[in-house]
Amino acid sequence: MSKQETMTTAENVEPLVYDPQYILMVRNLKKYFPIKGGFFNREIGAVKAVDGVTFNLKRGTTMGLVGESGCGKTTTGRTILRLSSDKTAGDVLFNGQEVYDLSHEELRHLRTKMQIIFQDPFSSLSPRLPIAEIIGEAVREHNLVPKSELDDYVDEIMDQCGLQPFQKERYPHEFSGGQRQRICIARALALNPEFVVCDEPVSALDVSIQAQIINLLRELQEQRKLTYLFISHDLSVVEHISDTVGVMYLGNLVEYGEKKDIFANPLHPYTQALFSAIPIPDPDAKMNRIVLEGSIPSPADPPAGCKFHTRCSRCMECCKHVAPKQKEIEPGHFVVCHLYDDENEQA
């Protein structure tokens, strides 16, 4: 991997150079939410939900983003899509364009190219609209097809997502959880996007339905050359669908690389602990479970140095005071940990 592709957690004032092989380039992305208090309701602190995330996502591939609840996965996806008010710092380049520099009209056009599938299909669908209107509303608003062809277009999208045309006039409450998630997928794909953020799209579904939705997403990716950012806490699902994997902890990307490298050789102690919890379908197999002590620190008051040092069994003195930098241990495999500093390379 070239130096241009190398990621860093340090502040970098040089402009981010666009590389056409990447549909999305994110560098040092930060999103803080203010904490207000006192008599005058002034800002007294900030929740550092995303605190310096950097990665590049190749066209037509899937990046899995994993980590414990509250680590900032969903906020990362929403900030990339500019669904939040504004980023705190960093760069988000989509097809070479800085998403946060776009005008209202430019952003409106970009909305058709970037879509999201939400975690809870029921709460993300309007209970007052039939699914034909839910799927076709944005298509009509953006004038993607002539008005006379809208009906047939909605039928085609529904068919691709495993829904039947006779269901068009039904409302969301008349469908099962798996069918509602198919409606959400159809709504996102109706705009013919290039990039889709899948925010835990199968976590609320039964295992058998999860497999159907995952297979559907893969089929649609092949047909439409889609690029996914797949947010999940289920490592078995991530292993099945992803090409690259990023591991988040308390707002930071602690490890990033190709799926085969991450699963075969997890480097960061947090990644190792996560992977040790994956169930093995063999009653005779022995699991070397790594149990993390304590709980995740508050993102409003993260610990100094390495944020993971309060729970790490391999913590060194430097971990408590100095934030580690990202290192490329093998081609395309990055880790943020003092264990891999030059002087501790054999640790």
Side-chain angles (χ1 to χ4, degrees):
M1 188 170 280
S2 66
K3 289 183 178 179
Q4 177 182 320
E5 298 170 35
T6 302
M7 302 177 299
T8 176
T9 55
E11 293 285 352
N12 198 331
V13 294
E14 295 181 3
L16 181 57
V17 180
Y18 172 58
D19 187 336
Q21 69 174 313
Y22 299 112
I23 190 171
L24 182 70
M25 300 180 72
V26 178
R27 183 181 65 179
N28 199 35
L29 180 64
K30 297 182 180 182
K31 177 61 181 176
Y32 297 170
F33 294 96
I35 301 173
K36 296 185 178 181
F39 185 77
F40 295 102
N41 199 31
R42 292 175 177 170
E43 186 173 331
I44 57 175
V47 175
K48 299 179 180 180
V50 181
D51 195 19
V53 168
T54 304
F55 64 87
N56 297 330
L57 182 53
K58 288 186 177 180
R59 298 177 187 279
T61 65
T62 300
M63 175 182 166
L65 194 59
V66 301
E68 294 171 288
S69 295
C71 70
K73 305 185 299 295
T74 295
T75 305
T76 298
R78 294 177 67 91
T79 306
I80 288 171
L81 295 180
R82 199 171 161 179
L83 295 182
S84 302
S85 54
D86 201 358
K87 63 183 180 181
T88 302
D91 302 299
V92 181
L93 263 61
F94 179 77
N95 283 332
Q97 291 182 302
E98 169 54 61
V99 173
Y100 282 84
D101 287 345
L102 299 178
S103 66
H104 176 75
E105 280 302 313
E106 291 172 328
L107 181 62
R108 186 176 184 276
H109 174 71
L110 185 67
R111 290 297 183 207
T112 64
K113 303 301 180 186
M114 304 170 74
Q115 285 292 300
I116 184 170
I117 301 169
F118 293 100
Q119 178 177 358
D120 183 1
F122 191 70
S123 63
S124 64
L125 297 173
S126 172
R128 299 184 178 184
L129 297 178
I131 67 168
E133 181 66 16
I134 289 173
I135 296 171
E137 183 179 25
V139 177
R140 183 176 61 249
E141 181 68 24
H142 288 276
N143 298 314
L144 295 185
V145 297
K147 192 174 181 180
S148 59
E149 300 175 15
L150 180 60
D151 238 19
D152 292 335
Y153 183 76
V154 170
D155 288 349
E156 181 185 344
I157 295 294
M158 289 177 63
D159 182 62
Q160 289 181 8
C161 296
L163 297 165
Q164 301 301 317
F166 69 83
Q167 299 172 319
K168 286 168 60 174
E169 300 308 315
R170 294 183 180 178
Y171 290 81
H173 72 271
E174 299 179 77
F175 293 88
S176 67
Q179 289 175 318
R180 283 196 287 264
Q181 196 60 281
R182 290 176 185 271
I183 297 169
C184 293
I185 294 171
R187 178 178 60 183
L189 296 185
L191 294 175
N192 197 26
E194 298 176 21
F195 170 64
V196 181
V197 173
C198 303
D199 184 12
E200 304 205 34
V202 297
S203 64
L205 307 177
D206 293 337
V207 175
S208 59
I209 306 301
Q210 284 185 12
Q212 294 176 22
I213 298 299
I214 292 298
N215 291 334
L216 172 63
L217 289 171
R218 294 190 69 173
E219 289 171 10
L220 292 169
Q221 184 175 38
E222 292 176 7
Q223 294 171 9
R224 293 169 167 260
K225 309 300 180 187
L226 295 169
T227 305
Y228 293 144
L229 176 63
F230 193 91
I231 298 169
S232 180
H233 61 266
D234 190 330
L235 292 167
S236 58
V237 171
V238 169
E239 184 178 16
H240 182 67
I241 197 172
S242 301
D243 299 295
T244 56
V245 176
V247 181
M248 282 195 75
Y249 182 80
L250 207 64
N252 292 116
L253 207 60
V254 297
E255 190 165 355
Y256 172 80
E258 297 291 326
K259 175 184 69 177
K260 56 181 176 58
D261 295 331
I262 296 285
F263 277 85
N265 183 31
L267 298 174
H268 198 280
Y270 176 66
T271 310
Q272 294 168 0
L274 279 184
F275 285 16
S276 74
I278 301 176
I280 300 174
D282 182 355
D284 299 321
K286 292 184 178 179
M287 293 181 62
N288 297 318
R289 180 72 186 272
I290 301 174
V291 180
L292 297 177
E293 300 293 336
S295 57
I296 304 177
S298 169
D301 186 25
C306 174
K307 293 181 179 179
F308 186 62
H309 85 261
T310 58
R311 305 174 72 194
C312 182
S313 62
R314 305 175 69 183
C315 174
M316 301 177 291
E317 190 60 32
C318 63
C319 302
K320 301 176 182 178
H321 309 290
V322 182
K325 294 183 179 180
Q326 199 168 58
K327 288 185 173 291
E328 187 176 16
I329 305 304
E330 53 188 353
H333 192 170
F334 299 86
V335 66
V336 181
C337 183
H338 283 303
L339 290 172
Y340 303 94
D341 290 350
D342 293 337
E343 62 271 24
N344 298 307
E345 207 163 280
Q346 302 304 318

